[in-house]
């Protein structure tokens, strides 16, 4: 029988990994990014990004977590005491992402309830931004808490806490065993139904339309933004740099085939992404035909797709909308909730390692403070705050953590030891090519993404956005510094 910090089976680990990877980005970010680059043009760079960045980096965290069976902060301290701060800095990124991710899940719960009656009305954009969120760009809006959002966020944090406080197999493991298969089954049903809708072929053609001519094809693949967006999508889609994979791998028992497991997770995640995109565009194609509106006028990025564009489509579906709508928001909840549970684990593991506290105390502390931070996103100014947090933590924080991990584990640490661990139980062997990718290719590619993203952010920032992001920056420096300076209560730390 598995111990308290050990998966009871490889299947549980795999489903938890897939649950952490499959999230909101798969359902509402990928279709927009792919479409904005011509759909079919995006596939090749996307596949290249999976092979050269996604899968290779998975093995970094798998190998380190599996070898040391500890949290990131503890592992880095074992390398060099000065590195412990870097560990806590990296762990702060997924935690702060969780604080606003919980709010988005709260929106989804409200929409799930509304979907049974199409309670968002005919003007879905006004309903989302004004009726529900009371959104304002006035910073004083932070003083006005939107009660329905506040209540939904309480529910979300209670759900996260009630699962995360349990032993990993009784809580996280059991939830993933139920929700991930259900997510795939329901989404397959939605997509297959969407193929039968009039106009479905219009949407799918718009998504995967081939280039008009050879010159267009060549010009497309010399577009640096296409490649940067493909690599960026893989980073966000596979949850790279969030230490989830490292933490989950630390819970594995001996004799695991890490290379095969990593391939399955990457394949499942990316297949789900592509498959879901065809369904969403089939639905948008139906709307395009029925309302005589071009697909490019319907497709939106992020929350706009889920909470504005698709509810508008459900409105014109008639009776079918009362079925497809709830099923869609159930899928969105399953995907987001399993990802939220995963975001708790890295920090929880680190707190347990250093302060020798129980899992219940660690998750109670994490969820309690997380909820208090989430309150700011339930205000009228919450949407702007959420945007600023998301932009900074992803463009600055997340990409930087990937670079830091590659540098530490490939340059400072002896990477050959990781290769030995990864190759031990696998017929597929990693060697020089993988080592080259981790030492040079990923840091360069992600470094370009980091510079490009932060430059764009810098030139487009308004005054308030700059202030808020400076506060976030100070937080992810000061809090990790405090945690580093605190004396450990565990003799093994």
């Amino acid at each position: 029988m598995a111990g308290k910090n050990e998966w009871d089976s490889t299947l549980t680990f795999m489903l938890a990994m897939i649950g952490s990877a499959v999230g909101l980005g798969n359902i509402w970010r990928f279709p927009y990014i792919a479409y904005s680059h011509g759909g079919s043009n995006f596939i090749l760079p996307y596949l290249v990004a999976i092979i050269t960045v996604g899968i290779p980096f998975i093995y970094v965290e798998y190998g380190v977590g599996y070898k040391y069976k500890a949290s990131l902060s503890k592992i880095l301290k074992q390398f060099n005491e000065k590195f412990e701060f870097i560990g806590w800095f990296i762990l702060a990124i997924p935690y702060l992402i969780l604080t606003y991710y919980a709010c988005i899940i709260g929106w989804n719960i409200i929409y799930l309830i509304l979907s049974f009656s199409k309670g968002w009305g005919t003007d879905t954009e006004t309903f989302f931004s004004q009726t529900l969120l009371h959104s304002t760009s006035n910073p004083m809006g932070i003083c006005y808490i939107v009660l329905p959002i506040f209540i939904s966020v309480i529910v979300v944090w209670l759900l996260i806490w009630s699962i995360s406080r349990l032993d990993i197999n009784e809580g996280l493991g059991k939830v993933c065993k139920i929700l991930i298969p259900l997510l795939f089954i329901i989404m397959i049903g939605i997509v297959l139904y969407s193929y039968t809708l009039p106009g479905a072929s219009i949407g799918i053609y718009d998504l995967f339309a081939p280039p008009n001519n050879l010159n267009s094809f060549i010009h497309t693949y010399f577009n640096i933004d296409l490649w940067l967006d493909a690599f960026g999508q893989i980073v966000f889609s596979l949850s790279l740099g969030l230490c989830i994979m490292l933490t989950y791998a630390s819970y594995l028992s001996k004799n695991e085939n890490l290379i095969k497991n990593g391939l399955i997770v990457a394949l499942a995640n990316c297949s789900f992404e592509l498959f879901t995109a065809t369904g969403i565009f089939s639905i948008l194609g139906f709307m395009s035909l029925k309302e005589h509106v071009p697909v490019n006028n319907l497709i939106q990025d992020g929350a706009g797709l889920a909470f504005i564009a698709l509810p508008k489509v459900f409105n014109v579906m008639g009776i079918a909308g009362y079925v497809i709508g709830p099923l869609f928001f159930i899928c969105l909840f399953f995907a987001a909730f399993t990802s939220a549970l995963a975001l708790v684990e890295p920090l929880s593991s680190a707190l347990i390692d250093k302060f020798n506290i129980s899992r219940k105390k660690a998750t109670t502390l994490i969820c309690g403070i997380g909820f208090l931070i989430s309150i700011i996103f339930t205000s009228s100014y919450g949407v702007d705050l959420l945007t600023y947090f998301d932009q900074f933590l992803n463009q600055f924080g997340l990409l930087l953590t990937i670079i830091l991990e590659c540098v530490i584990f490939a340059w400072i640490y002896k990477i050959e030891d990781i290769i030995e661990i990864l190759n031990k139980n696998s017929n597929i062997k990693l060697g020089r090519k993988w080592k080259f990718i981790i030492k040079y290719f990923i840091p360069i590619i992600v470094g370009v993404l980091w510079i490009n993203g932060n430059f764009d952010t810098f030139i487009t920032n308004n005054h308030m956005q700059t202030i808020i992001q400076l506060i976030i920056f100070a937080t992810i420096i000061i809090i990790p510094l405090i945690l580093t300076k605190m004396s450990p209560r565990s003799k093994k730390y």
Side-chain angles (χ1 to χ4, degrees):
M1 183 176 287
K4 287 188 176 181
N5 289 312
E6 187 177 299
W7 299 113
D8 58 12
S9 68
T10 302
L11 176 62
T12 306
F13 165 70
M14 296 295 291
L15 289 174
M17 276 303 314
I18 292 170
S20 73
V22 173
L24 296 176
N26 301 73
I27 298 173
W28 74 23
R29 188 177 190 271
F30 176 80
Y32 177 84
I33 294 293
Y35 177 76
S36 66
H37 289 291
S40 61
N41 299 331
F42 189 73
I43 301 303
L44 177 60
Y46 177 73
L47 294 175
V48 170
I50 295 169
I51 295 167
T52 60
V53 172
I55 295 172
F57 189 83
I58 285 176
Y59 294 142
V60 174
E61 292 206 351
Y62 271 24
V64 174
Y66 187 72
K67 178 177 174 60
Y68 285 95
K69 307 289 186 188
S71 62
L72 179 66
S73 59
K74 182 177 179 180
I75 292 169
L76 293 185
K77 187 183 180 186
Q78 290 175 357
F79 290 175
N80 187 318
E81 286 197 1
K82 295 178 181 178
F83 290 173
E84 185 186 355
F85 167 78
I86 297 175
W88 290 111
F89 170 81
I90 292 174
L91 293 169
I93 306 300
Y95 181 58
L96 286 179
I97 289 174
L98 175 61
T99 61
Y100 64 79
Y101 203 75
C103 190
I104 298 173
I105 300 174
W107 298 349
N108 183 74
I109 289 175
I110 292 172
Y111 267 77
L112 173 57
I113 296 169
L114 293 172
S115 65
F116 291 99
S117 63
K118 299 180 184 177
W120 46 67
T122 54
D123 189 348
T124 57
E125 185 169 0
T126 299
F127 176 84
F128 178 62
S129 62
Q130 298 302 320
T131 307
L132 179 63
L133 301 181
H134 295 269
S135 183
T136 176
S137 293
N138 184 346
M140 293 306 296
I142 199 171
C143 300
Y144 178 76
I145 300 300
V146 181
L147 190 58
I149 307 298
F150 179 76
I151 293 171
S152 68
V153 167
I154 292 175
V155 171
V156 171
W157 276 110
L158 284 174
L159 287 171
I160 293 172
W161 173 76
S162 65
I163 301 300
S164 296
R165 66 193 289 271
L166 301 175
D167 162 69
I168 56 167
N169 294 301
E170 288 300 311
L172 176 62
K174 229 174 224 184
V175 167
C176 289
K177 281 181 181 177
I178 297 169
L179 297 193
I180 297 306
L182 277 176
L183 168 62
F184 278 74
I185 291 167
I186 296 172
M187 187 56 79
I188 289 170
I190 292 174
V191 173
L192 292 180
Y193 172 77
S194 74
Y195 292 162
T196 69
L197 293 171
S201 59
I202 297 173
I204 293 176
Y205 180 81
D206 268 29
L207 175 60
F208 295 117
N212 295 326
N213 51 58
L214 183 60
N215 287 335
S216 174
F217 177 84
I218 295 171
H219 176 75
T220 295
Y221 285 104
F222 276 94
N223 178 7
I224 186 66
D225 289 335
L226 168 66
W227 292 90
L228 290 178
D229 282 348
F231 284 107
Q233 176 60 26
I234 289 302
V235 167
F236 301 129
S237 174
L238 287 172
S239 302
L240 305 184
L242 294 175
C243 276
I244 294 168
M245 294 177 289
L246 185 150
T247 306
Y248 280 9
S250 73
Y251 299 155
L252 281 169
S253 60
K254 295 179 180 179
N255 302 317
E256 290 288 343
N257 190 330
L258 298 175
I259 293 179
K260 183 183 75 173
N261 290 348
L263 286 172
I264 292 172
V265 169
L267 180 63
N269 175 77
C270 298
S271 298
F272 179 86
E273 207 161 52
L274 284 163
F275 184 67
T276 301
T278 64
I280 287 174
F281 268 84
S282 295
I283 293 171
L284 294 176
F286 162 76
M287 183 69 170
S288 174
L289 178 67
K290 192 168 182 68
E291 299 294 310
H292 306 289
V293 178
V295 171
N296 66 317
N297 288 350
L298 297 172
I299 183 66
Q300 296 188 47
D301 190 13
L305 176 65
F307 302 126
I308 297 174
L310 288 179
K312 191 178 295 184
V313 180
F314 300 147
N315 281 345
V316 300
M317 273 188 173
I319 295 175
Y322 291 105
V323 178
I324 300 300
L327 288 177
F328 171 76
F329 288 111
I330 286 172
C331 283
L332 209 61
F333 174 75
F334 287 173
F337 185 62
T338 51
S339 295
L341 293 176
L343 289 168
V344 173
E345 285 302 309
L347 184 57
S348 173
S349 176
L351 292 175
I352 292 168
D353 274 353
K354 180 160 187 174
F355 300 110
N356 197 28
I357 57 176
S358 68
R359 184 178 176 85
K360 289 180 180 179
K361 287 183 179 179
T363 52
T364 298
L365 185 65
I366 288 169
C367 292
I369 296 174
F371 167 68
L372 293 176
I373 298 172
S374 291
I375 291 174
I376 64 174
F377 303 114
T378 69
S379 68
S380 292
Y381 192 54
V383 175
D384 279 15
L385 285 172
L386 192 152
T387 302
Y388 301 155
F389 267 67
D390 184 61
Q391 188 180 62
F392 181 80
L393 291 171
N394 282 291
Q395 291 295 348
F396 177 83
L398 181 57
L399 297 179
L400 182 57
T401 65
I402 294 172
I403 297 170
L404 287 171
E405 286 190 48
C406 284
V407 170
I408 292 170
F409 297 131
W411 286 94
I412 299 173
Y413 176 71
K414 191 178 178 183
I415 196 171
E416 284 75 16
D417 287 353
I418 302 177
I419 293 176
E420 184 181 344
I421 288 290
L422 292 166
N423 288 342
K424 185 178 179 182
N425 300 304
S426 175
N427 293 324
I428 304 171
K429 304 298 181 183
L430 301 181
R432 291 181 181 177
K433 291 179 182 178
W434 180 77
K435 187 176 175 180
F436 173 82
I437 288 171
I438 303 305
K439 290 187 75 171
Y440 301 100
F441 187 78
I442 292 180
I444 290 171
I445 290 296
V446 176
V448 172
L449 279 171
W450 188 78
I451 293 169
N452 184 68
N454 284 294
F455 178 75
D456 288 345
T457 299
F458 178 77
I459 62 175
T460 58
N461 267 8
N462 58 50
H463 182 65
M464 184 54 64
Q465 185 172 358
T466 301
I467 292 172
I468 291 168
Q469 292 183 342
L470 283 172
I471 293 171
I472 301 170
F473 177 74
T475 301
I476 59 176
I477 295 296
I478 294 170
I479 301 302
L481 191 61
I482 293 171
L483 288 168
T484 303
K485 294 295 183 181
M486 291 176 72
S487 300
R489 294 182 182 176
S490 172
K491 295 179 181 179
K492 295 180 181 180
Y493 191 81

